[in-house]
Amino acid sequence: MPTIGVAKSLLRQCCKLTETDVKDQLSYSGQLKLNLTSLDGAVIGCAVRRNLQARQPAYVSVGHRVSLATACDIVHGCCLHRSPEPIRQADILARAAVRLRAQAATCE
């Protein structure tokens, strides 16, 4: 089954750039995507933002049986907000469930 890795923050130990560097380079370049390189120079992922006004990118890495270019295109196409929509909806549902449990615990 093909997979794609998506994160809201950059794993600093694997990349030459900091999150601030990535945001600045995306802003100054006017691009939606920026390839991320490892300390040894290999391309390991991509920072993707939904539109040119977006400051916070999503960080994409290849998973299984998907190229980096395809993974970035899929994530960009699924982003109505910062996170891809399936992940955003899962976060919303999980937060709602936690709130319901907390309310039930306080009512007992």
Side-chain angles (χ1 to χ4, degrees):
M1 173 180 292
T3 61
I4 296 172
V6 182
K8 292 181 187 178
S9 60
L10 181 63
L11 183 58
R12 176 66 181 113
Q13 294 83 356
C14 296
C15 187
K16 288 182 179 179
L17 301 172
T18 65
E19 282 193 54
T20 303
D21 295 335
V22 171
K23 292 173 191 175
D24 290 343
Q25 284 192 23
L26 282 170
S27 294
Y28 297 136
S29 68
Q31 296 179 343
L32 296 175
K33 301 173 189 173
L34 175 68
N35 282 342
L36 304 171
T37 56
S38 66
L39 298 174
D40 65 0
V43 176
I44 56 169
C46 184
V48 178
R49 58 185 179 158
R50 177 66 187 138
N51 55 45
L52 294 177
Q53 291 75 37
R55 176 96 173 115
Q56 298 286 337
Y59 297 95
V60 181
S61 61
V62 295
H64 177 66
R65 299 183 64 196
V66 178
S67 70
L68 181 59
T70 301
C72 290
D73 290 343
I74 290 170
V75 169
H76 183 261
C78 290
C79 288
L80 300 176
H81 304 278
R82 178 180 176 200
S83 296
E85 198 60 21
I87 293 172
R88 183 174 168 272
Q89 290 299 318
D91 284 347
I92 290 169
L93 290 172
R95 279 190 224 109
V98 168
R99 277 193 299 273
L100 283 174
R101 279 191 166 211
Q103 288 174 352
T106 59
C107 291
E108 294 177 359

